[in-house]
Amino acid sequence: MASGDEPEIETLSSRIVYQNRWMSVREDAIRRQDGSHGIYGVVEKTDFAAIVPVEPDGSIHLVEQYRYPVGGRFWEVPQGSWESNPEADPLTVAQGELREETGLQAADMVKLGYLFEGYGYSNQGCHIFLARQLTQQARDLDHEEQGLICRRFPACEVMAMIASGQIRDAITVAAIGLLVMRGLLPQAFDSPR
């Protein structure tokens, strides 16, 4: 929205209907451009970082963990937020989450972009990073990350996992797509061994 433009939807009132340390749910009374009234539910969450750790041969480190809301384990790129420090620099968050979940430390971190995860219902955004020049350190998992495993996959296998629906995390698919579109993952189209 340009400076001075009127918003397309006006907020008349707002109230928090649920809150915990990870999120709050807000319900807003609104007025649309045509004058009609309604309500809008908004999930407010701290921005997070997603990291694609890529080795010189193009292989990618993924993590698998149980995702309670959908009742299953899924492969995804390392990702997370620092709810206790929402103003932390996204690069610092990315470096910390990478080390925490995989034990990897990256000498080279490249910001690929910033995406909204679900802007139809939430204000949360994601800073996406490419991590290169990796060295292995010890992992430091949070209590909530029990059972998280980390594994390295050839890029072409990750692409096959996306195509088959084995990888279902939208941020992971988008992050890999950004790498491929920018020519930073030429191995993605190699034939599987």
Side-chain angles (χ1 to χ4, degrees):
M1 180 171 71
S3 179
D5 289 347
E6 291 296 318
E8 293 185 27
I9 297 175
E10 180 185 359
T11 305
L12 302 174
S13 66
S14 186
R15 68 184 181 101
I16 301 295
V17 295
Y18 175 79
Q19 188 169 18
N20 64 29
R21 81 173 221 192
W22 297 282
M23 70 171 153
S24 64
V25 180
R26 194 179 80 222
E27 185 177 273
D28 294 351
I30 61 163
R31 181 174 31 239
R32 297 177 191 86
Q33 284 183 321
D34 67 0
S36 64
H37 289 238
I39 62 167
Y40 215 108
V42 178
V43 176
E44 296 179 319
K45 292 189 77 167
T46 302
D47 282 356
F48 67 106
I51 310 95
V52 186
V54 178
E55 295 287 352
D57 67 358
S59 59
I60 301 168
H61 296 265
L62 298 177
V63 296
E64 183 196 61
Q65 60 184 314
Y66 184 77
R67 291 300 193 178
Y68 178 79
V70 293
R73 296 184 67 83
F74 297 96
W75 289 103
E76 60 195 42
V77 296
Q79 53 192 284
S81 63
W82 290 358
E83 294 85 3
S84 62
N85 187 6
E87 301 303 317
D89 178 64
L91 175 60
T92 303
V93 174
Q95 291 167 328
E97 289 296 320
L98 178 64
R99 191 170 40 256
E100 177 183 299
E101 294 186 5
T102 67
L104 295 169
Q105 189 164 356
D108 183 31
M109 297 281 286
V110 178
K111 185 159 185 185
L112 299 175
Y114 177 84
L115 301 173
F116 289 106
E117 185 176 29
Y119 54 41
Y121 67 90
S122 180
N123 68 341
Q124 185 177 43
C126 178
H127 301 270
I128 300 176
F129 290 88
L130 165 63
R132 299 184 285 202
Q133 300 175 24
L134 305 169
T135 55
Q136 188 67 54
Q137 310 288 324
R139 291 192 316 168
D140 184 24
L141 297 175
D142 282 342
H143 185 71
E144 292 86 8
E145 295 168 330
Q146 294 178 39
L148 182 142
I149 58 174
C150 181
R151 188 172 145 213
R152 184 172 160 179
F153 294 89
C156 60
E157 189 174 341
V158 171
M159 295 296 284
M161 292 165 73
I162 291 170
S164 72
Q166 187 177 358
I167 292 178
R168 296 183 184 181
D169 176 59
I171 290 296
T172 297
V173 174
I176 300 297
L178 285 172
L179 280 176
V180 170
M181 287 178 4
R182 293 186 182 171
L184 297 170
L185 195 62
Q187 303 85 344
F189 301 105
D190 291 349
S191 298
R193 293 182 177 102

